[in-house]
Amino acid sequence: MSDVPYTTVIGLEVHVQLATQSKLFCRCSTQFGAEPNTQTCPVCIGMPGSLPVMNRRAFELSLKTAVALNCNIPEFTKWDRKQYYYPDLPKGYQISQFDLPMSADGYLEISDPKDKFEPKRIGIIRAHLEEDAGKSVHDEAHGKADSEIDLNRTGTPLLEIVSQPDMRSSAEARAFLDELKLLLTYIAVSDCNMQEGSLRVDANVNLHLEKDGKKIATPIVEIKNMNSFRAVERALEYEAPRQYREWQETGRQLGEAPKQTRGWDDVAGVTRGQRSKEESSDYRYFPDPDLAPVITSAAEVEAVRESLGELPDDLRTRLTEGYNLSPYDADVLVNQGRAVIDYYLAVAGESGDPKLACNWVTQQVLRELKEREQAIDAFGISATKLAGLITAVNDGLLPSTRAPEAFQLMLAQGCDITAALAELKIERVDESALVELVKELLAANPKTVADIQGGKLQAAASLIGQAKKKNPNVDPNRVRELAIELATAGN
Amino acid sequence: MSIVDRPASELRKSLASGELTSVELTQACLDRIVAHDQSIGAFLRVDGERALEQAKSVDKRRAAGEKLGPLAGIPVAVKDVLCDSQAITTCASRMLAEFRPPYDSTVVARLKQADAVLLGRTNMDEFAMGGSTENSAFQPTRNPWDTTRTPGGSSGGSAAAVAARFAPLAIGTDTGGSIRQPAGLCGIVGMKPTYGRVSRYGLVAFASSLDQVGPFATTTEDAALLLEAVAGHDPRDSTSINRPTPAYTESINKPLAGLKLGIVPEHFGAGLDPEVSTAVKSAIEVYKSLGAEVKEVALPHGKYGVAAYYVIAPSEASSNLARYDGVHYGFRADQSSALADLAAERQAFVAAGNAAAADNVDSPLVRMYRSTREAGFGPEVKRRIMLGAYALSAGYYDAYYLKALKVRRLIRRDFDEAFKQVDLIVGPVTAGPAFKLGEMVDDPLAMYLVDLYTVSANLAGIPAISLPCGMTKAGLPIGLQLQGPPLEEDRLLRGARMFEAATDWHTKQPTLAGAK
């Protein structure tokens, strides 16, 4: 069979754990890592007679997210029960939102600073709130087949964000996830910690092929169990050609086979089919009679909108347009998160030199943070001190060649630039003294003078080393400039 | 007249004056239970020791001059569906035969706060599903007026306990008539408050949008007393209404001037027992003689009430009862042979060359769910779970569940319209007097029609009360139902009290076999 061109079509379902202190329908803690079953109460484990009461904070955080994702917020939203049997689902149903989710029809803009794809808008079908289930732990060691259940997670508030199948490559999917995570951390609705299960991704994938002028879609596959963005990318890269091969073998199209669920094996680097029954599950959704519907007024939505602050995309625009940074630099800064941006904005503002501030932050500061595995809040040089360093350079107090030395000293000692200059004995070289010095050197190096006069301007560089020997504080650039200027002055 | 024959309001006065102690009263109740409950079966468990301890403590505190709650020292029987951290709560089901809740339901907590003496746990239809208390997994309850007959249900144990004067007060729950119908059949007062008036926290759910806790008593004044103690907003129940509870006991004896009563012609149609019809009509005459104006009102969608109810209630029940799966608590069927059975079944399919069937044999987990629910639930519960699962399933949801919700809204609208014209609606509680035990066991549909006059109040969420209004020639009580607009319990109680004050039906008591 000859090759048929195809497009990969990807939609993502992202479960985000909201940054609340307590669970969605009770006051149990959502703290990660506690002893099994220590963060439970009659409500979250569904004891007979217990009743849920909505956590307002969880709803507010969802509202914030939905507004940031440009969603429509309906005035009326309700809770539904999604029913299925599973040992870690203690009530036999999950409280979720079915036909009237708290938000719908939004979008998220993605772009690639490396220009692998054109900037595009990924549609958000809906974002709805639901409670998490518990965790089953299967202990099969020593020939036992014990299954234990930890209900600490049960009732943890999750926001499920469902995208349109608008992505066409693993790079786009990755960009969507990166941008989404960035947005969620900017507005502080989730810590997005994947290791702790605060952010989980399922991907729906199929192919659109064009054969003999007819458009063909292959059956949709849902890939689960991906525990990093890198895994999502790899799984998608694996899955597309696999589906293509399967289509070549079976010729099966969308609608001719049920939706298949596959798991991602990160070690083997493959997706594997999971056992699925032929019939689709019937969750028997119906409105939860224990919970009142939630009414959200336009004024509340407006208040949330105003409280959002600057979102990553707005910041990129501000940095490129207001601070004259390149899109690449702006992206690097914004991707570091709100704390780094705030640091940068302070350095840029106080030094009055946004470009130099960007260089310092994106290069030295980020490198140090990475090496030290530190967050910006714990960084040894405050924004004010870094701005002081930049100002010293611009004022000619600190030769740029010695600036890294000053930076390291400030970092090591926590001192400011004035103290660093004193410690390093960096002093401003008076312009007239420098002129005298260069004149002296020119007099002592007639060959160099001749070379410069003969047009070999690079010969001036040989004087820099000698000048620095005489006075370590000289600005090498200025030495070179003066040498050329004075050597050619008489001509 | 024995102590136990006196209403709670009188007992309160005697306790307060020191003429009677709570220990004496509690002991009198316990004695009567010991003497007669074998033939009635009202209680699943009586905790005499604990009750006497509570009584002793109240007496002591009273003697010390402490301020006591409104039910101080009064014994109350509680339907075995409300969680009590100090008592096993079974819902009359094998599923919860040994279930000890780690918390108090709000109603039980309020009874404790009111210094009531918790006498014991009364029998009921399993998970409150039924109209005769025959669906209890443990025992049937018999009607104190005639032990060959049912006390009604599902709160039959609580109704029988009060009718037999085992306790002056009892708590029941009403999902489709489960307080009012047994009150009517047992000749006592029973009330279903407005949905949301009493907290459902800790009430083991049957149908969450219909369930409501309410009082049983021998007089309307006592019903008011008990309701006042347990009603009120509860932040742990999202459906609880955030409105203050009026002091019903203070207004109960103020007759309603210019009372306008509504009657619904359909309530007096075919199917209504002539003796019941006569009693209810003479009750209406009593109201007329008291100056009430009586006019006809229409509740055109009432005829669909039972149908809508038997879609909505089982739907919610199928969901609420999913948690009884043998995993976390309660009953789990013995699994010792399950793995071997499964392996054998698989092998049999393989040997027969049917590999696909072998693959479809349940997992051990599914088998555990199945065998647990099969052995843990009785037939009526299973029937309703099946009905509900069907009504909610994809493809049938719109035709059944959604349609039933629309009917429900129309029923509520009918009431809203009716209450623009009248203050209360008056009519029968049940179509006939108490029926024989076993009479309808094999005819679930006939049993469902027992709720004909009561379900609409649950669907609409309005309050309603049942009170004695007559006796059949055979000596069985006949009940009168009054229904009122939402949150108008005060009006309902005062309206009921007007009738009670003018008649003596509420003073009639059954003669218990072997009575001393």
Side-chain angles (χ1 to χ4, degrees):
Chain A
M1 193 181 280
S2 63
D3 279 357
V4 178
Y6 67 80
T7 314
T8 313
V9 178
I10 303 163
L12 297 176
E13 288 172 22
V14 184
H15 286 87
V16 181
Q17 177 178 334
L18 297 170
T20 54
Q21 299 294 309
S22 58
K23 294 184 179 182
L24 187 49
F25 298 114
C26 66
R27 291 183 173 181
C28 285
S29 167
T30 53
Q31 186 75 41
F32 179 79
E35 282 292 302
N37 298 309
T38 54
Q39 292 176 169
T40 59
C41 72
V43 174
C44 62
I45 64 175
M47 291 291 260
S50 63
L51 292 172
V53 176
M54 184 183 82
N55 179 342
R56 255 287 143 197
R57 179 77 187 137
F59 192 80
E60 285 163 10
L61 293 178
S62 318
L63 206 54
K64 219 170 152 183
T65 312
V67 172
L69 288 170
N70 310 291
C71 287
N72 290 330
I73 313 291
E75 194 190 328
F76 178 93
T77 184
K78 68 179 172 70
W79 300 100
D80 301 283
R81 292 184 181 179
K82 178 183 182 178
Q83 331 220 27
Y84 59 97
Y85 282 97
Y86 209 72
D88 64 18
L89 189 70
K91 294 190 292 290
Y93 58 82
Q94 176 190 25
I95 305 176
S96 182
Q97 299 192 306
F98 179 53
D99 56 339
L100 298 172
M102 46 95 35
S103 64
D105 301 327
Y107 62 86
L108 182 66
E109 308 263 10
I110 60 166
S111 61
D112 182 11
K114 293 176 197 140
D115 289 332
K116 278 192 200 151
F117 58 84
E118 288 292 303
K120 66 193 288 187
R121 185 174 272 201
I122 307 297
I124 304 290
I125 297 174
R126 57 189 280 161
H128 69 258
L129 255 173
E130 61 185 29
E131 56 173 352
D132 205 351
K135 199 171 85 177
S136 298
V137 186
H138 303 291
D139 173 16
E140 287 165 24
H142 316 298
K144 289 192 294 181
D146 283 355
S147 290
E148 293 171 335
I149 296 163
D150 177 6
L151 297 179
N152 279 354
R153 270 201 85 83
T154 308
T156 299
L158 296 181
L159 187 67
E160 180 174 340
I161 300 166
V162 184
S163 88
Q164 294 280 4
D166 285 347
M167 285 154 278
R168 295 289 174 268
S169 67
S170 62
E172 290 185 9
R174 175 63 189 255
F176 174 79
L177 291 171
D178 282 337
E179 189 64 14
L180 181 63
K181 181 177 170 180
L182 189 65
L183 181 70
L184 296 171
T185 48
Y186 259 87
I187 58 177
V189 296
S190 173
D191 63 16
C192 295
N193 186 331
M194 289 190 86
Q195 279 77 44
E196 296 181 3
S198 301
L199 195 151
R200 287 176 270 164
V201 185
D202 299 335
N204 284 286
V205 196
N206 74 340
L207 307 180
H208 285 184
L209 309 102
E210 205 165 324
K211 195 188 171 203
D212 310 329
K214 275 194 289 186
K215 288 191 169 122
I216 299 171
T218 61
I220 295 173
V221 169
E222 184 173 8
I223 312 175
K224 290 184 178 281
N225 197 25
M226 297 173 288
N227 54 14
S228 71
F229 288 178
R230 180 75 195 119
V232 175
E233 276 183 289
R234 290 178 65 211
L236 292 171
E237 277 157 23
Y238 173 84
E239 184 61 16
R242 189 200 67 76
Q243 285 189 24
Y244 182 72
R245 288 193 302 275
E246 187 172 280
W247 173 74
Q248 281 184 319
E249 282 165 27
T250 66
R252 271 204 300 221
Q253 300 186 19
L254 186 64
E256 293 172 3
K259 180 169 158 178
Q260 198 195 151
T261 303
R262 296 180 74 84
W264 170 245
D265 181 336
D266 205 40
V267 178
V270 298
T271 63
R272 293 185 207 277
Q274 292 177 341
R275 187 166 180 247
S276 61
K277 295 243 170 172
E278 284 297 308
E279 71 271 23
S280 63
S281 43
D282 183 351
Y283 291 118
R284 290 177 285 116
Y285 280 102
F286 81 107
D288 192 320
D290 288 331
L291 286 158
V294 187
I295 309 294
T296 312
S297 70
E300 272 175 88
V301 175
E302 214 31 62
V304 167
R305 202 183 302 282
E306 277 165 26
S307 76
L308 274 182
E310 220 167 5
L311 299 180
D313 223 32
D314 307 326
L315 266 170
R316 287 193 192 94
T317 309
R318 174 144 81 110
L319 294 180
T320 49
E321 290 174 5
Y323 286 75
N324 246 335
L325 300 187
S326 70
Y328 179 83
D329 280 342
D331 198 54
V332 169
L333 280 173
V334 170
N335 289 349
Q336 294 300 318
R338 187 76 230 188
V340 169
I341 278 290
D342 288 342
Y343 182 88
Y344 165 75
L345 293 175
V347 177
E350 291 181 37
S351 68
D353 191 339
K355 180 63 194 152
L356 202 50
C358 172
N359 291 347
W360 275 94
V361 174
T362 57
Q363 290 160 30
Q364 279 83 349
V365 175
L366 291 185
R367 192 189 61 232
E368 292 293 340
L369 290 180
K370 200 175 169 193
E371 275 173 16
R372 290 154 189 260
E373 293 180 356
Q374 225 172 22
I376 189 77
D377 339 3
F379 189 59
I381 302 177
S382 68
T384 304
K385 286 177 183 166
L386 185 62
L389 183 151
I390 290 167
T391 307
V393 171
N394 283 337
D395 289 353
L397 291 173
L398 172 62
S400 51
T401 45
R402 298 201 68 187
E405 240 179 293
F407 179 81
Q408 287 302 334
L409 188 78
M410 287 163 73
L411 192 52
Q413 300 190 351
C415 62
D416 66 5
I417 188 65
T418 314
L421 291 177
E423 170 103 16
L424 295 171
K425 297 198 170 57
I426 297 173
E427 281 163 19
R428 182 184 194 131
V429 181
D430 184 67
E431 181 72 5
S432 58
L434 190 60
V435 170
E436 283 314 305
L437 177 64
V438 173
K439 277 183 180 167
E440 219 176 281
L441 289 173
L442 287 173
N445 293 281
K447 169 130 182 13
T448 306
V449 175
D451 284 349
I452 294 172
Q453 287 172 345
K456 285 168 80 178
L457 297 185
Q458 68 272 31
S462 68
L463 299 181
I464 293 172
Q466 297 178 50
K468 283 183 91 173
K469 242 178 236 169
K470 301 232 173 197
N471 184 346
N473 292 321
V474 297
D475 179 352
N477 282 331
R478 190 67 193 133
V479 170
R480 201 169 49 85
E481 281 168 21
L482 275 175
I484 293 166
E485 195 183 315
L486 295 171
T488 55
N491 290 2
Chain B
M1 193 167 163
S2 153
I3 305 173
V4 291
D5 295 330
R6 296 160 60 193
S9 53
E10 280 181 29
L11 293 169
R12 274 180 86 196
K13 285 176 199 144
S14 301
L15 288 165
S17 70
E19 174 200 327
L20 177 71
T21 66
S22 177
V23 169
E24 286 169 337
L25 172 59
T26 304
Q27 191 59 58
C29 289
L30 291 171
D31 290 347
R32 192 163 169 102
I33 292 167
V34 169
H36 300 290
D37 200 34
Q38 267 193 321
S39 56
I40 308 288
F43 283 91
L44 284 174
R45 289 174 309 287
V46 176
D47 193 344
E49 237 170 82
R50 175 187 166 205
L52 286 169
E53 259 169 49
Q54 286 175 331
K56 207 182 286 175
S57 149
V58 170
D59 286 340
K60 209 165 138 189
R61 287 168 52 213
R62 196 189 300 275
E66 276 182 46
K67 191 172 160 22
L68 298 173
L71 298 176
I74 308 276
V76 180
V78 176
K79 187 178 182 180
D80 205 24
V81 70
L82 284 150
C83 290
D84 181 337
S85 58
Q86 291 154 290
I88 287 171
T89 300
T90 71
C91 300
S93 178
R94 269 189 295 278
M95 202 55 107
L96 293 174
E98 288 162 38
F99 177 65
R100 194 177 283 275
Y103 55 98
D104 281 339
S105 55
T106 299
V107 166
V108 165
R110 288 189 175 167
L111 288 174
K112 288 178 180 174
Q113 251 165 34
D115 292 315
V117 170
L118 300 180
L119 206 54
R121 314 282 296 179
T122 57
N123 196 25
M124 56 188 278
D125 285 300
E126 184 178 4
F127 283 105
M129 297 177 193
S132 67
T133 317
E134 290 165 286
N135 295 325
S136 166
F138 306 116
Q139 67 197 36
T141 297
R142 293 164 185 278
N143 193 314
W145 293 89
D146 176 351
T147 53
T148 66
R149 292 177 188 269
T150 128
S154 64
S155 309
S158 287
V162 171
R165 303 315 196 251
F166 294 152
L169 301 172
I171 291 284
T173 63
D174 190 316
T175 306
S178 285
I179 289 175
R180 290 159 288 154
Q181 180 251 19
L185 301 188
C186 290
I188 58 169
V189 177
M191 182 178 189
K192 177 203 109 62
T194 307
Y195 181 79
R197 179 61 101 177
V198 180
S199 170
R200 288 186 300 113
Y201 188 82
L203 159 63
V204 180
F206 158 21
S208 312
S209 75
L210 301 159
D211 296 341
Q212 192 56 205
V213 180
F216 281 108
T218 55
T219 67
T220 49
E221 189 174 359
D222 284 7
L225 176 69
L226 184 51
L227 178 63
E228 211 173 295
V230 298
H233 179 242
D234 178 8
R236 291 189 298 177
D237 175 357
S238 310
T239 61
S240 151
I241 296 170
N242 195 355
R243 292 272 282 274
T245 310
Y248 305 120
T249 45
E250 283 171 25
S251 56
I252 182 100
N253 281 309
K254 291 177 194 155
L256 296 164
L259 174 66
K260 272 188 259 175
L261 280 184
I263 53 168
V264 184
E266 289 88 342
H267 285 179
F268 298 88
L272 184 65
D273 180 287
E275 284 188 288
V276 174
S277 178
T278 305
V280 170
K281 282 178 180 159
S282 36
I284 293 167
E285 289 307 315
V286 171
Y287 274 112
K288 281 188 186 162
S289 76
L290 295 171
E293 183 191 332
V294 177
K295 60 190 286 189
E296 284 190 3
V297 289
L299 297 176
H301 298 93
K303 56 179 177 272
Y304 305 117
V306 171
Y309 176 83
Y310 277 96
V311 169
I312 292 169
S315 292
E316 294 184 13
S318 73
S319 171
N320 286 330
L321 271 58
R323 69 192 68 199
Y324 307 110
D325 58 5
V327 174
H328 299 276
Y329 51 79
F331 172 78
R332 180 189 290 183
D334 180 25
Q335 299 298 304
S336 51
S337 57
L339 284 176
D341 286 353
L342 287 174
E345 274 176 51
R346 269 203 200 97
Q347 268 170 12
F349 280 121
V350 173
N354 192 348
D359 207 40
N360 276 328
V361 170
D362 305 332
S363 69
L365 178 67
V366 170
R367 183 61 58 97
M368 192 281 283
Y369 288 150
R370 246 193 209 161
S371 52
T372 294
R373 290 169 68 81
E374 197 174 320
F377 289 136
E380 183 59 27
V381 170
K382 286 179 195 162
R383 186 178 295 126
R384 299 211 193 181
I385 289 173
M386 295 299 290
L387 275 173
Y390 183 81
L392 288 177
S393 59
Y396 297 101
Y397 181 92
D398 289 4
Y400 294 104
Y401 183 77
L402 205 58
K403 181 81 83 183
L405 285 191
K406 288 176 181 167
V407 170
R408 181 176 192 172
R409 179 160 294 191
L410 293 173
I411 287 174
R412 169 64 185 254
R413 196 182 296 167
D414 286 352
F415 275 116
D416 288 345
E417 287 305 312
F419 287 126
K420 282 179 189 163
Q421 304 165 51
V422 296
D423 301 313
L424 298 170
I425 292 170
V426 62
V429 185
T430 55
F435 45 96
K436 294 267 186 187
L437 281 165
E439 193 180 324
M440 290 193 235
V441 168
D442 298 324
D443 191 353
L445 279 181
M447 187 71 101
Y448 293 171
L449 288 170
V450 161
D451 302 328
L452 188 64
Y453 300 120
T454 50
V455 286
S456 290
N458 299 80
L459 290 167
I462 62 169
I465 193 168
S466 168
L467 66 160
C469 74
M471 298 291 277
T472 64
K473 285 191 196 82
L476 295 169
I478 296 169
L480 180 73
Q481 177 171 236
L482 293 175
Q483 303 181 96
L487 294 170
E488 294 291 345
E489 284 84 4
D490 176 76
R491 189 193 298 176
L492 204 55
L493 284 161
R494 287 165 66 191
R497 175 64 193 143
M498 280 169 72
F499 177 80
E500 191 183 74
T503 58
D504 63 356
W505 297 112
H506 64 285
T507 63
K508 308 266 184 241
Q509 277 191 46
T511 312
L512 301 184
K516 284 173 217 163

